[in-house]
Each structure stands twice: as C-alpha cells, then as structure tokens.
Amino acid sequence: MRAYIVYLFAFLFLALHVQAEKQVSIPESDLQKLAQHIDNLVKRDSINEEIIKVLKDSLQGHSTSSVQQSENVPVSTHAQITIKDRGGVTQDTSLLIFTLLAFAAGLISIITPCVFPMVPMTVSFFSNTSSSKKESVRKAIIYGLSIVGIYTLIGVVIARINGPEFANYMSTHWFPNVLFTIIFIVFALSFFGLFEITLPNNFINKVDKQSDKGGYIGIFFMAFTIVLVSFSCTGPIVSTILLSAAGGEILKPIIGMVAYSSAFALPFTLFALFPNWLKSLPKSGGWLNTVKVSLGFIELALALKFLSIADQVYGWGLLNRNTFLLIWILVFFTLGLYLIGLVKLSDHDKGEIGWPRRILAILILVFAGYLGTGIAGNPLKQLSGYLPPLEDYTTDTDKICGTPKYNDFLHLPLGLQGYFDYKEALACAKAQGKPLFIDFTGHGCTNCREMERNVWADSTVVKHLKEDFVVVALYVDDIHELPEKEWYTSSKDGKIKKTIGKQNHDFQNTRFNFLAQPFYVILDPNTEKELTQPMVYERNIDTYNDFLQEGITNYQKLYK
C-alpha cells in the first residue's frame, strides 16, 4: 500500500513538472479523480495520513490555480499576512445619515399647516382635562409614544415585505420608479394648492369617536386621529422616507419611522412639560403655506430622481445629465422667485415678505446658479449621488486582457479600465499578477456615485485603481437577461437567477453574506481569498487609501 502512495506522489510530481517546463495542460477532471481516489484510500486504510494530506493539498491547489495560471503569475512564498480589523463591514454609516434626515423630516412636518395649529390645541386639551400637571404630563407622554408607535408599526409592515428581491424590484424596475415619479408629482401639485389629498371622512370620524372613550385607549385614538388628519401634509414626507428605505435593509424603514415620529411627537410632549413655551410660538398664518409650497418644489425635484434611475437601468436616454440639471435649475430658480414674491400661487402669498424668507430665497437662487456650473463641466461632487453619472468612461483596453463583456452598456467612471464579469476579471488578474478589486455597485446606488466622485476621484486612489489592481464592477441591479444556459438556482434563496444583476447580487450575498452597496472587496486571484477586510461606504480618503494599500501590501507579501 505504501508503494502505491509513493507511486501516486511520483505521478503528481512528474505531472506538475511537465506542466511547469512544457506548459502542458492536465485536465482538471483527471486531477479531481486522483484526489477522490486518495480519499478512498484514507477511508479504507488510514495510512500515513500526513503524506495523504500533503498530496491532497497539492492536488486541490493546482486544480483551482496552477493549471489555469499564466507563466507570468508569480509563485506564492506562503508568507503569512495580517488583515486589519476595521470595525465590522456591517456598519453602514449611511444609516446614521438616513436617521438624521428622517428626524429632520419629522421636525419639518411640525411646521406644516395641517400640524402646527394642532400643537397648542392638543396641549391645552391635556391641561384642561387633567386634574394635575403630573396627569397632564403623563397623558402627553402617552400621546407622544402613541404617535411613535403608530408610525413605527407602518415601518414594521414595510420592513416585513422589504426583502432583497422586493427591494431590487422596487429600486430598479421601470414600473415602480415611474409610479413613484407620478406620485411625487401629485404630492407636489397638492402642496401647491391645486387640490388636497385626504383620507375618507367616514374613516376619520370613526377613529375620532374612539378618542371620546377616555383613559389610555382614548389617548391612543387621539394620536391616531392626528396622524390621519395631518396626512395631507405628512403623507408625502412619510412616503419619501419609506421609499428611500427600499434598499434591502430591514432596519431602515423601522428606524426611519421611529426617528420621524419621535421628532413629530416631540413638541406635544415638550409643551406639555413646559406650557409657558406656548406663548412663544408664532401665530399661524401665511408663513405655514410658504413652508408647504416650498416642500412642493422639493417633492418635484425628488420625482425626477426616480425617473432618472429607471432611465439609467433601461437605457431610455430620456434624462442625460444636462437635461436633468436644466430641470432642477428651473425648479429651484422658480422656488427662489416664489420666496421673494415674484411668483404667487395663492392668496396666502400676498403681504410683506420678511428678511428670513428673503435670505432663504437668495440661498436657493445661489444653489440654482451652482447647478448651472454643472452644465459648464463642474462635477458637482456633493450632489453626485442624485445626478445622472458623468460620461467620463473610456473604451480603451490596453491595460487589461481584452475587450470586457457587457462594455456596450456598462461602464467604469474616471477613465478606469476593467471588467463587469467576475470570471473574466479573475482570469485577467491571474495573468497580470495583480490583486482583484471588486466593486459591488448599482445603477440606482446613491452612495456608490458619491464614493466614485468624492473618494475614487482622489489622485492617489484613482492611481492605485488604475495601476495596482484589476478592477471589476459588479452591478447588482442590472436587468439584462443572460442566455438560458447561464441561469442557475441560488443555494441561498432557491430562486433562479437569470439576469446580470441578480447573479451578481446572489454572488455578493452567498460569497460575502452582505447585501448593501457599495461594497468593496480585494481578493488574491489565485486563491480567491480576501486580502483585506471588505470596505463599505467610507468618505474618508485616507481610510480608503489605507484599505487599498493594505491589499497591495498583502498581495506583495504573498508573491514577491
């Protein structure tokens, strides 16, 4: 038996020696059969397991790497590398920003015509119907918590149906994006005063009657009533938050609603605690309508974003960057004119215009002028996540291993050369002896565009990407269907993956157990092992450079 092991070892040595000297390719199937035969020997005889282990490791390494490598690929020194702990790739910093924006939206909702007048009325009601200040405060706190609970329940329902497949459909398919565009335009027209969006009166009256029961149940239904009555003003804002949360993260809609409702309920609780503050509140008047109309212009601008996403994914060519900018310039320029009184939309707009409104008008007009510089060539980095991408891609292939698949409709920014198919990029990285840089991205990924224009555009970062890596951009939301022979059923969710985007998203989920974008991975192409801890949304250029340099250094430790 030992003689047989020696024979196998000699066969492997000669086979690899012939391959190294004469570039003779040994079929991978033969090597796999040999490895299987060795497994059988181990199970049957338990002989010299150390020799068997060495032989198996050699076979596995060469069946996945050496047999396919170019003669230009350096040989590993088997050096040990240390991967830095960057605090965990599951910490998406954009979630904090989203939470702050949702909280700010809740504060804005308070100063809308549907809500603001209700604050003193509600607090006065608690004060007048309570036997003591302590009871009044307790009722107000329960009232505020009820509001938070109602909105949070909405977030939970949205989160329950918001799985990865659903999120991908909502964020990229033309139907929901066009539908959202129409909805936002309708909301904007409602804010402009053309009509009012309300819930059925019968439903509101039935809920209102429940509030007469008294006790904690009555307080809850009072909170429910104000949520319903204020819907014409808060509905568009809440919808904006929920639509922004349709990105695959289960927590986003829940956190968004908690943050929004906490800010919305805050004044009712605070004014109940400090009723004297009510005297300092400004009186209701035309300024509330100004807030509402201004929100209408913002809704109109946001509507264009959804249409732009569908346009990019499906390649309709309706909204190139300059067309998008021209429409936004028109929207914000008109808002500026409205704020200084040159455009009037209702009788509420008559009267004297104060300095706060004038200052805001000036800022809005300056912003419209800033958008104008984008047509002149300014990259507008701070708005890159909301605008169609700059067309600064290249069709050159001199720094990679041939013409990439899908390069007729997928592109890399900043003149980078690279791939859009993992296997192609992996083969080129092996041939060139470079680490593989994977960019999990998407057409509708706001944070991806921000990273490209604010981090990748840094001279050091882009130099690393151009010279030290083979880059592959894997679009997780691309809708192009692959030939049927390339379809497969995911081991993760059991669904058939037919499109480029679904296969890339499944690869990210299965291989790295992560769903959000952007997501950056640096691999050793010969072993397909990670050279660094993956990176998510990170606007700090020094941190991102350190991430790239760590990948380069670890690769060099292994092969040079």
Side-chain angles (χ1 to χ4, degrees), residues 14-26 62 66-67:
L14 290 174
L16 296 178
H17 181 72
V18 169
Q19 183 190 15
E21 292 294 325
K22 298 184 178 181
Q23 305 302 316
V24 176
S25 177
I26 301 174
H62 283 281
S66 298
V67 173

Side-chain angles (χ1 to χ4, degrees), residues 61-118:
H62 283 281
S63 67
T64 59
S65 177
S66 298
V67 173
Q68 300 174 2
Q69 283 185 34
S70 164
E71 61 182 338
N72 296 324
V73 177
V75 179
S76 171
T77 61
H78 300 290
Q80 295 296 317
I81 60 173
T82 302
I83 295 178
K84 295 180 182 178
D85 183 0
R86 301 180 184 278
V89 298
T90 59
Q91 297 176 355
D92 188 355
T93 55
S94 66
L95 185 61
L96 175 61
I97 298 173
F98 174 78
T99 304
L100 294 175
L101 290 175
F103 188 85
L107 296 178
I108 292 173
S109 296
I110 297 167
I111 55 174
T112 57
C114 314
V115 180
F116 187 79
M118 301 292 291

Side-chain angles (χ1 to χ4, degrees), residues 458-484:
D458 175 75
S459 58
T460 306
V461 172
V462 75
K463 186 174 185 292
H464 278 316
L465 293 176
K466 285 183 176 180
E467 298 179 3
D468 301 319
F469 298 93
V470 169
V471 178
V472 57
L474 300 180
Y475 281 80
V476 302
D477 58 4
D478 191 82
I479 50 86
H480 287 84
E481 189 169 297
L482 294 164
E484 188 172 354

Side-chain angles (χ1 to χ4, degrees), residues 164-175:
E165 288 285 341
F166 176 79
N168 190 41
Y169 173 82
M170 293 287 282
S171 62
T172 60
H173 197 274
W174 70 268
F175 178 75

Side-chain angles (χ1 to χ4, degrees), residues 294 297-298 328-340 356-372:
S294 299
F297 281 102
I298 294 173
W328 264 30
I329 290 168
L330 178 62
V331 169
F332 286 103
F333 183 71
T334 306
L335 172 58
L337 295 181
Y338 167 77
L339 290 174
I340 60 177
R357 182 168 163 175
R358 292 180 185 180
I359 292 172
L360 183 59
I362 292 171
L363 293 175
I364 295 294
L365 291 173
V366 169
F367 178 70
Y370 171 69
L371 292 174

